[in-house]
Structure formats: structure tokens, C-alpha cells
């Protein structure tokens, strides 16, 4: 006989990385700035990954920065942020008043930059998310996260600088996420988050040249993101899954694929309150299980 299980308990308080989270819905990096504008949302999710912080301030790229595609968007924001010093002085004190856990997304362009950023931020946040999709400018500009040895070097060097939870955010581009995840875990990562955006471009057919080259996100990438999460699920640390989540059902699919929590990205650009709606839907979702 079939019976129904509500997911209430799946989205109530939970412990991951030794930290107690309000629920398993997090906000992905880059879509909500520092989460200070929509406190009603940030105060009711488990955690926020801040926008990427670099060593030096960055103006970001010129427009167009965002281009809508069928079921998704391409962004070319270019890691616009105030730089770590201004972040520590002006943003961190405000972040500490939020009632959710704070993970700072760290973007480096050399191994040393990752270390310096983490060192400067210190221990007044709940953890770090290392964005290893950035180009390694000292070594030919391929992303750190495309080579298991280089990804491991980033993690082992940062590991020596902090005892806070270290989550590594994997790139899905041109690499096997399982190989990278294993290398990062061996080097001391406490968690893996995935996926970052996929390489993408769109053309202006009148000018016959590219309109935008950037990262694809949104529902178009969800099936691939689910595959990637499922591929790394046995790497030995908790997984934070993301990529195209717009509903409670989507979030549940990521939990089924092996994620301990999920992060909401592009959906927030359309509706800043989407994480709360997804949380409500997840709470109400009934899943049929078969007694055997
Ligand atoms: C406008 C925009 C900015 C982003 N900025 C960052 C960033 O600074 N660091 C990072 O690791 N990921 C960044 N991401 C990637 C998201 O955090 C997320 O991994 C990706 O968009 C997939 O989730 P989604 O399909 O729900 O958006 C950004 C995504 C978007 C759309």
C-alpha cells in the first residue's frame, strides 16, 4: 500500500559541518549581493554564500552583463566587489547581524590570493566557499578547478590559514567533478558545493558577432547539475547542490541526488522571495513511498 511522507523534518533544523542551520535552503553566491537588502529572506534561510570577494576591488565588466536565454541566463558580471579590505571594514559588521549562517565566497587569481583573503577575513564568519572557477593567471589562465592537483593546492594552502568549515565550489566546465572533489577532500575540504555556471555565449545575428560570453545558470542547467551532485555524492563530505532550482520539487530532487542542502541562485533575480516560496513548497511536498 502507498503512503505519504511529508518533508517537514527534512527542512527543519539540521547539522552540517558541525554547524546547526535553520533549514537546508541556502542562497547561492552572487545573486543577492551580501544579503543585507532582503533581510526577511536571509533571516529565514539556513545560510548565504556572499558574492565573490577578491583581494583587490573590482569594477566588474561593462554591459551587457546579463542575457536571458530559453530557461536560463548568461551572466558576465565579472566578480564586481569592493575587495577584501573594504568588505572587512564596511560589510562584515553588518553581516554579523543577519540571523543566518554566513559563508564568504572567496575568488582568487593566484594561490596566494586565496590565502590572503581568508587570512584577512579571519574567524568572524561561519565558513568559506572557495570559488575555484576563477582563472589561474600565473599559470595560463585555466580555471583552478579544472585540474585536480591545482584544486588540491588551493585547498591545502587555505586549509593552513583557517579552521572554519571550508567548502569548495566546483566548476562543471571541462572536467570530471568527482576527480576534483576527491582531490579537494584529500587536501582538507569539509564540503563541496556545485555547480557553478556553465561556459556559454549568445550572438547578435545582425552584427554577426558575440553579444555575450559568460556563465549559464537557471533551469536549463538543472538536469546537468543533478547529475554532477549525484556523481560526487560519495566523496566523503556533505554536498551543497545548486543549479536551476526554482521550486520545492527541484530542491527535493537535489536532496535525492545526494545533497545535504541546496542553494538558490538565478531564481532570486526574478523574485527575491523565491527562497521562502521554495521552503514553503518543500515543507508541503508529499512524497509517495511504497511499503514493501
Ligand atoms: C549574476 C550571477 C552572479 C554570480 N556570481 C557568483 C560569484 O561571485 N561566485 C560564485 O561562486 N558563483 C557565482 N554565481 C553562480 C551561482 O552562485 C550558482 O552557482 C549558479 O548560478 C547556478 O545556480 P542557479 O542556476 O540557481 O543560478 C553567480 C551567478 C549569477 C547568475
Amino acid at each position: 500500500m502507498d503512503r505519504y511522507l511529508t518533508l517537514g523534518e527534512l527542512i527543519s533544523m539540521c547539522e552540517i559541518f558541525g554547524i546547526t542551520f535553520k533549514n537546508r535552503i541556502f542562497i547561492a553566491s552572487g545573486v543577492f549581493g551580501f544579503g543585507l537588502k532582503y533581510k526577511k529572506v536571509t533571516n529565514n534561510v539556513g545560510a548565504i554564500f556572499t558574492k565573490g570577494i577578491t583581494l583587490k576591488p573590482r569594477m566588474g565588466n561593462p554591459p551587457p552583463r546579463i542575457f536571458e536565454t530559453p530557461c536560463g541566463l548568461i551572466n558576465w558580471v565579472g566578480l564586481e566587489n569592493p575587495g577584501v579590505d573594504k568588505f572587512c571594514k564596511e560589510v562584515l559588521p553588518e553581516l554579523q547581524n543577519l540571523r543566518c549562517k554566513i559563508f564568504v565566497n572567496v575568488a582568487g587569481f593566484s594561490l596566494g590570493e586565496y590565502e590572503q583573503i581568508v587570512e584577512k577575513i579571519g574567524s568572524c564568519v561561519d565558513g568559506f566557499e572557495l570559488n575555484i572557477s576563477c582563472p589561474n593567471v600565473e599559470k595560463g589562465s585555466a580555471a583552478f578547478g579544472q585540474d585536480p592537483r591545482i584544486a588540491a593546492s588551493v585547498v591545502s594552502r587555505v586549509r593552513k590559514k583557517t579552521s572554519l568549515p571550508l567548502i569548495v565550489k566546483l566548476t562543471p566546465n571541462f572536467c570530471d567533478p568527482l576527480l576534483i572533489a576527491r582531490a579537494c577532500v584529500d587536501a582538507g575540504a569539509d564540503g563541496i558545493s556545485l555547480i557553478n555556471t556553465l561556459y556559454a555565449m549568445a550572438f547578435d545575428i545582425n552584427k554577426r558577432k558575440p553579444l555575450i560570453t559568460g556563465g549559464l545558470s537557471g533551469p536549463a542547467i538543472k538536469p546537468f547539475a543533478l547529475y554532477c551532485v549525484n556523481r560526487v555524492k560519495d566523496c566523503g563530505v556533505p554536498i551543497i547542490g545548486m543549479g536551476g532550482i526554482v521550486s520545492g520539487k527541484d530542491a527535493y530532487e537535489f536532496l535525492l541526488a545526494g545533497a545535504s542542502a541546496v542553494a538558490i541562485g538565478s531564481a532570486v533575480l526574478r523574485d527575491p522571495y523565491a527562497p521562502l516560496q521554495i521552503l514553503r513548497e518543500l515543507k508541503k511536498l508529499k512524497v509517495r513511498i511504497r511499503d514493501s
Side-chain angles (χ1 to χ4, degrees):
M1 193 189 166
D2 291 342
R3 60 193 176 89
Y4 290 87
L5 176 77
T6 67
L7 295 178
E9 74 238 50
L10 262 182
I11 44 83
S12 52
M13 222 176 251
C14 60
E15 197 175 306
I16 313 170
F17 320 117
I19 295 179
T20 303
F21 295 91
K22 203 172 280 170
N23 55 57
R24 291 173 203 264
I25 301 288
F26 299 176
I27 293 176
S29 173
V31 292
F32 229 19
F34 296 114
L36 295 167
K37 209 164 159 200
Y38 290 97
K39 290 191 181 153
K40 187 177 170 213
V41 181
T42 36
N43 284 339
N44 285 291
V45 294
I48 175 167
F49 294 109
T50 69
K51 67 158 80 177
I53 300 297
T54 52
L55 190 61
K56 299 264 155 35
R58 284 174 63 91
M59 298 276 288
N61 293 324
R65 286 175 161 199
I66 292 208
F67 180 81
E68 204 164 339
T69 63
C71 295
L73 60 93
I74 299 174
N75 93 79
W76 191 61
V77 171
L79 290 172
E80 179 186 344
N81 79 96
V84 68
D85 290 332
K86 195 165 178 195
F87 171 75
C88 288
K89 207 163 149 222
E90 293 178 14
V91 185
L92 255 183
E94 294 262 353
L95 278 182
Q96 280 157 344
N97 296 325
L98 290 178
R99 293 197 297 273
C100 68
K101 302 297 176 193
I102 310 293
F103 284 78
V104 177
N105 181 281
V106 179
F109 296 98
S110 68
L111 293 174
E113 283 192 16
Y114 282 99
E115 285 178 309
Q116 286 180 63
I117 297 165
V118 167
E119 236 179 342
K120 279 174 182 265
I121 293 171
S123 57
C124 46
V125 293
D126 296 288
F128 295 97
E129 182 187 51
L130 302 180
N131 174 4
I132 57 169
S133 302
C134 303
N136 181 357
V137 292
E138 287 173 344
K139 293 268 163 67
S141 289
F144 293 93
Q146 287 171 328
D147 179 328
R149 282 164 311 163
I150 298 174
S153 313
V154 178
V155 178
S156 58
R157 284 186 53 172
V158 173
R159 181 73 287 169
K160 294 187 188 105
K161 303 289 176 192
T162 181
S163 54
L164 292 179
L166 208 52
I167 301 172
V168 184
K169 182 164 184 183
L170 303 192
T171 171
N173 292 313
F174 304 145
C175 58
D176 178 351
L178 181 58
L179 287 183
I180 310 292
R182 281 192 181 133
C184 292
V185 173
D186 289 346
D190 299 300
I192 296 291
S193 59
L194 76 172
I195 59 174
N196 211 322
T197 53
L198 285 159
Y199 291 151
M201 66 195 299
F203 276 81
D204 182 329
I205 56 167
N206 296 318
K207 293 185 182 153
R208 292 188 291 161
K209 58 181 199 181
L211 188 65
I212 189 166
T213 304
L216 180 67
S217 60
I221 71 169
K222 192 191 92 179
F224 182 60
L226 281 170
Y227 173 83
C228 292
V229 166
N230 194 247
R231 179 139 179 85
V232 303
K233 71 176 189 311
D234 296 323
C235 70
V237 294
I239 311 293
I240 314 300
M242 67 195 84
I245 299 174
V246 299
S247 68
K249 180 184 159 293
D250 292 340
Y252 185 54
E253 280 190 78
F254 276 83
L255 298 174
L256 288 177
S260 297
V262 299
I264 315 301
S266 308
V268 166
L269 300 177
R270 194 174 286 271
D271 172 13
Y273 295 95
L276 301 186
Q277 176 62 23
I278 290 168
L279 195 56
R280 276 194 296 272
E281 287 176 18
L282 196 55
K283 267 183 195 160
K284 282 193 205 141
L285 201 65
K286 286 188 171 173
V287 185
R288 196 158 56 159
I289 53 169
R290 183 152 286 179
D291 284 342
S292 55

